[in-house]
Amino acid sequence: MDYSIENEYLKVTVTTFGAQLKSVIRKCDGVEHMWQADPEVWRFSAPIMFPHTGKVVDGVIDVKGKRYEAGQHGFVRLMEHSFVEQTQDSLTLEICSNEETLEKFPFEFRLLSTFTLENDTLHHTLTVENLDDEKMPFGIGFHPGFALPFDDAHKATDYELRFSEVESPLCVNCLPLGLLHGDCYYLGSNIQTIPIDEHLFDNDSHCMVNLKSQTLGVYEKGTGRGVVVNIQDFPYVLLWSKPGMPKYVCIEPWESLPSPENGSTKWEEKPAAAILNPGEAWATTMSVSFVR
């Protein structure tokens, strides 16, 4: 089911499948900024990654004395979320542990997704509550895909990624298995922009660490139109699209990383975004501005 919120700048639609941001239309020009989940290219628009980001060793986790299959990016992106409340400019959905989730992740939890409009900015807050009687480690991250080009008068190469500060983006390499192995590379040296072209994602995603910038955005050259993500509080930021000329670009603020190749399958030994005691809650917010 879909729900919409709006203000004088934006109309936003969220679907209960995965609590995904499905549509953001800028009212002044009618531009749709979210990738429309074409299944022949990429069937998502903005999946939530929980209880882990990326892959885990051998595709399994060992926790509470049992072994569980664990696909890439966790499972909440593949499940229906429930409506909690809505105002004109805010919407909250939730997913709570149930028989299906306990077969994948043996913790009692609640995950709230709250979308709030503030002028031309959309805030998406993820709140994790530990309802279990044991400590709960977890990873979490955002994965929004922003559509390119903004209109029929432009093409993907008319856009660039732009940092708010000069950067030498250091990236951790997860190829070929999607797991960390200690290799790193630089996406550039002393740069503030990254051109978007058909080769940018030849080798899959770029996982950047220790950025100084407050924001990273997709900007249309010469016009100032852009989709700008506030990244300042996130330790990791990924860039991703399918290989070839991008039809969308994902700017992904993550709070955690995939497992290392030589790491343990034990859940409590996997590096976590947070470890919650019973009854505790933790939240993270991604803010995206749609600028003109």
Side-chain angles (χ1 to χ4, degrees), residues 10 16 56 60 62 83 88 124 137 171 173 186-187 191-192 201 212 214 219 237 242 266 268 271:
L10 304 171
T16 53
V56 297
V60 298
D62 293 314
F83 174 84
Q88 180 176 340
H124 183 184
C171 300
N173 191 352
Y186 287 98
L187 191 53
I191 60 172
Q192 201 161 358
F201 301 106
K212 305 184 298 292
Q214 178 175 334
Y219 289 87
V237 181
K242 291 282 189 177
K266 293 181 179 179
E268 66 272 15

Side-chain angles (χ1 to χ4, degrees), residues 251-269:
I251 300 177
E252 308 173 34
W254 287 18
E255 297 281 4
S256 55
L257 286 174
S259 296
E261 282 187 9
N262 60 352
S264 173
T265 59
K266 293 181 179 179
W267 184 247
E268 66 272 15
E269 295 180 7

Side-chain angles (χ1 to χ4, degrees), residues 179-197:
L179 301 170
L180 300 172
H181 47 72
D183 290 350
C184 298
Y185 64 92
Y186 287 98
L187 191 53
S189 296
N190 305 320
I191 60 172
Q192 201 161 358
T193 62
I194 299 172
I196 292 176
D197 60 32

Side-chain angles (χ1 to χ4, degrees), residues 30-47:
V31 170
E32 171 61 76
H33 281 292
M34 299 308 299
W35 168 247
Q36 292 300 289
D38 180 351
E40 294 187 2
V41 181
W42 182 50
R43 66 188 180 105
F44 298 96
S45 56

Side-chain angles (χ1 to χ4, degrees), residues 3 13 35-36 43 69 82 90 94 97 104 107 116 120 125 129 151 162 169 180 220 223 227 246 252 260 265 277 280:
Y3 293 90
T13 302
W35 168 247
Q36 292 300 289
R43 66 188 180 105
E69 299 292 326
S82 300
S90 70
E94 71 174 4
S97 51
K104 307 171 187 291
F107 292 93
T116 306
D120 63 358
T125 299
E129 299 176 1
D151 58 38
R162 189 181 305 167
L180 300 172
E220 194 173 78
T223 70
V227 178
E252 308 173 34
T265 59
N277 290 316
E280 286 186 338

Side-chain angles (χ1 to χ4, degrees), residues 63-281:
V63 59
K64 293 189 177 184
K66 291 183 63 178
R67 172 159 286 190
Y68 298 84
E69 299 292 326
Q72 181 167 301
H73 297 329
F75 55 83
V76 301
R77 66 195 179 104
L78 302 172
M79 299 182 70
E80 282 288 325
H81 295 230
S82 300
F83 174 84
V84 177
E85 61 181 356
Q86 180 178 8
T87 67
Q88 180 176 340
D89 58 6
S90 70
L91 169 69
T92 300
L93 303 177
E94 71 174 4
I95 185 168
C96 298
S97 51
N98 53 46
E99 288 185 7
E100 185 178 357
T101 69
L102 291 170
E103 292 177 357
K104 307 171 187 291
F105 184 64
F107 292 93
E108 300 280 356
F109 70 89
R110 184 188 191 208
L111 174 63
L112 290 164
S113 291
T114 301
F115 301 84
T116 306
L117 287 172
E118 181 185 11
N119 299 323
D120 63 358
T121 298
L122 174 64
H123 306 288
H124 183 184
T125 299
L126 294 174
T127 304
V128 182
E129 299 176 1
N130 182 8
L131 307 180
D132 208 77
D133 56 5
E134 296 186 24
K135 289 184 177 181
M136 184 178 74
F138 64 89
I140 199 166
F142 299 90
H143 198 321
F146 304 114
L148 291 178
F150 294 170
D151 58 38
D152 293 339
H154 293 85
K155 53 187 183 297
T157 52
D158 292 328
Y159 298 82
E160 64 186 10
L161 292 152
R162 189 181 305 167
F163 299 98
S164 59
E165 304 291 337
V166 174
E167 300 277 4
S168 296
L170 179 65
C171 300
V172 294
N173 191 352
C174 294
L175 294 176
L177 302 177
L179 301 170
L180 300 172
H181 47 72
D183 290 350
C184 298
Y185 64 92
Y186 287 98
L187 191 53
S189 296
N190 305 320
I191 60 172
Q192 201 161 358
T193 62
I194 299 172
I196 292 176
D197 60 32
E198 61 189 301
H199 299 297
L200 180 56
F201 301 106
D202 282 353
N203 296 312
D204 204 67
S205 63
H206 303 284
C207 179
M208 301 175 289
V209 300
N210 299 325
L211 294 172
K212 305 184 298 292
S213 292
Q214 178 175 334
T215 64
L216 172 59
V218 181
Y219 289 87
E220 194 173 78
K221 299 174 186 177
T223 70
R225 294 199 296 181
V227 178
V228 185
V229 182
N230 190 316
I231 61 171
Q232 64 178 336
D233 293 327
F234 291 89
Y236 317 108
V237 181
L238 281 79
L239 299 171
W240 177 77
S241 189
K242 291 282 189 177
M245 190 64 73
K247 297 181 178 180
Y248 59 88
V249 171
C250 295
I251 300 177
E252 308 173 34
W254 287 18
E255 297 281 4
S256 55
L257 286 174
S259 296
E261 282 187 9
N262 60 352
S264 173
T265 59
K266 293 181 179 179
W267 184 247
E268 66 272 15
E269 295 180 7
K270 186 184 186 306
I275 302 174
L276 295 181
N277 290 316
E280 286 186 338

